[in-house]
Amino acid sequence: MAPRAFWKGYLKLSLVTCRVAMTPAVSESAKVRFHNLNSKTHNRIVMQYVDAVTGKPVDEDDQVKGFERAEDDYVLFEDEELDDVGLESTRTIDIATFVPRQDIGWIWYDRPHYLTPDDKVSEEAFSVIREAMGVTGMVGIARLVMYRRERAVMLVPDDRGIVVWTLRYGDEVREADPYFDKTAPGKADTRHLTLIKRLIGERTEEWDPSMADDPVQDKLVSIIESRKKKPKGRVKPKSTKREDNVVDIMSALKKSLEAERRSK
């Protein structure tokens, strides 16, 4: 069963409007999570905000946001003031601009969400907007209040729905040039390149979601299941031995290809 929508509102393009529902496309609910406990009593530890000088607990009603302009000197803000700065939450995704999909690099992508029509009446208008973006190779850009902040979002047509990506803020993305400029642009040796291409061909497979499985998660689940039966049991970590063998790149490539053939 699909999870319930966490956001409902309208998708709007000029005079075309339809009701839509949005659900996060990724979830971390299956992750193994631990609580911090007192090792002596096994009671949970409660986190609490305290005054950095007096050491006394501070009630939530007495907490305010502050921007430090000088040492021990702050510009204070109430939560209501910060909310007023942002875009009014109108529950409407109003597509203001379209850009070619390839113009937005993957580094700008933040969180994906599935957008679907919220009722039968809205399906036709939703489909027209989705199909038009797909045919033209465009994605829509809009602004929306999500996760208590105003964000730019990108609408990408996808099969029978639309994927809404929140985009990273401009000051979050670093320019690549200062880092990649340090890399020598020298041409690869033709012989090395030929062997690498063959090695890539040997390892080429169809994408499978299992390729992105989390082995640590699986091991934790296994340990937890075993300790449910034996609470005092402990799992000793396997020792890892590091090998620092430096070999000629051509020799390494040939050995890699030979190993691939033997494994198949």
Side-chain angles (χ1 to χ4, degrees), residues 170-230:
D171 57 3
E172 291 179 336
V173 178
R174 292 174 173 168
E175 290 291 335
D177 290 346
Y179 304 94
F180 293 155
D181 280 349
K182 299 175 184 177
T183 305
K187 259 193 165 185
D189 186 290
T190 306
R191 297 171 302 161
H192 297 170
L193 195 58
T194 300
L195 290 176
I196 284 288
K197 286 180 178 178
R198 287 168 57 187
L199 187 57
I200 290 174
E202 294 279 352
R203 297 195 174 194
T204 298
E205 300 177 17
E206 292 291 330
W207 162 253
D208 189 302
S210 64
M211 295 177 180
D213 282 349
D214 183 355
V216 174
Q217 172 86 356
D218 295 337
K219 289 178 183 177
L220 284 173
V221 171
S222 177
I223 293 170
I224 290 170
E225 289 302 319
S226 65
R227 291 193 181 185
K228 283 180 180 178
K229 302 172 185 176
K230 299 178 181 179

Side-chain angles (χ1 to χ4, degrees), residues 8-68:
K8 288 191 175 185
Y10 297 88
L11 175 63
K12 183 175 182 290
L13 174 57
S14 188
L15 300 179
V16 181
T17 305
C18 59
R19 294 177 61 87
V20 290
M22 184 160 49
T23 307
V26 295
S27 171
E28 295 187 353
S29 61
K31 287 285 186 185
V32 173
R33 299 185 184 278
F34 296 99
H35 296 293
N36 288 326
L37 307 177
N38 183 329
S39 62
K40 296 179 180 178
T41 65
H42 289 189
N43 295 330
R44 288 180 62 175
I45 298 172
V46 178
M47 305 297 289
Q48 192 175 38
Y49 285 102
V50 298
D51 189 298
V53 177
T54 66
K56 295 181 179 179
V58 181
D59 293 334
E60 187 175 351
D61 292 340
D62 295 328
Q63 297 174 22
V64 296
K65 299 288 192 299
F67 177 83
E68 188 173 16

Side-chain angles (χ1 to χ4, degrees), residues 212-256:
D213 282 349
D214 183 355
V216 174
Q217 172 86 356
D218 295 337
K219 289 178 183 177
L220 284 173
V221 171
S222 177
I223 293 170
I224 290 170
E225 289 302 319
S226 65
R227 291 193 181 185
K228 283 180 180 178
K229 302 172 185 176
K230 299 178 181 179
K232 294 184 179 180
R234 289 185 176 273
V235 178
K236 292 184 179 179
K238 293 181 180 179
S239 61
T240 55
K241 185 179 178 182
R242 181 179 172 182
E243 296 182 3
D244 294 323
N245 295 329
V246 181
V247 296
D248 171 67
I249 186 170
M250 180 63 80
S251 175
L253 288 171
K254 288 180 178 178
K255 288 180 180 178
S256 297

